[in-house]
Amino acid sequence: SRRAHLRLCLEKLKVLVPLGPEASKHTTLSLLLKAKLHIKKLEDYDRKALHQIDQLQREQRHLQRQLEKLGSERVRTDSVGSAVSSERSDSDRGET
């Protein structure tokens, strides 16, 4: 029946929504209100997480550009003296 289906759905909702120690005392209305608050909290958390991802991606692109700039500067300084570049490549090989 429709009522049994509704009761089953409410039981499933009780499992998904953090109700605390008084879970058994909740009315249908209080359960739905708690569910609404929980959804709002999850949406807020999601929005903050997406903002953080966006910030980290910007930071990553910035660091990538700095790394590329440093790489091109190193190539220029290495080509100034071949003795410097061969010494440096020997020491790099030793560290890895």
Side-chain angles (χ1 to χ4, degrees), residues 37-90:
L37 285 172
H38 185 59
I39 290 166
K40 289 237 183 260
K41 190 165 43 171
L42 291 174
E43 285 173 342
D44 192 43
Y45 180 79
D46 193 44
R47 197 167 38 252
K48 284 177 183 169
L50 288 171
H51 178 67
Q52 197 174 11
I53 288 169
D54 192 44
Q55 271 186 314
L56 289 169
Q57 284 174 338
R58 276 200 299 270
E59 192 179 343
Q60 185 183 28
R61 285 193 296 271
H62 172 71
L63 291 170
Q64 196 70 47
R65 284 195 298 271
Q66 281 187 315
L67 192 62
E68 286 164 9
K69 199 196 295 182
L70 285 171
S72 64
E73 283 173 11
R74 182 175 174 176
V75 168
R76 275 202 303 278
T77 56
D78 285 358
S79 62
V80 169
S82 57
V84 173
S85 65
S86 64
E87 281 174 30
R88 188 173 287 164
S89 61
D90 287 343

Side-chain angles (χ1 to χ4, degrees), residues 17-48:
V17 178
L19 297 168
E22 297 175 9
S24 57
K25 295 180 183 173
H26 276 281
T27 63
T28 300
L29 179 61
S30 66
L31 174 62
L32 292 172
L33 289 171
K34 285 261 187 184
K36 181 183 164 188
L37 285 172
H38 185 59
I39 290 166
K40 289 237 183 260
K41 190 165 43 171
L42 291 174
E43 285 173 342
D44 192 43
Y45 180 79
D46 193 44
R47 197 167 38 252
K48 284 177 183 169

Side-chain angles (χ1 to χ4, degrees), residues 7 9 45:
R7 204 168 20 249
C9 290
Y45 180 79

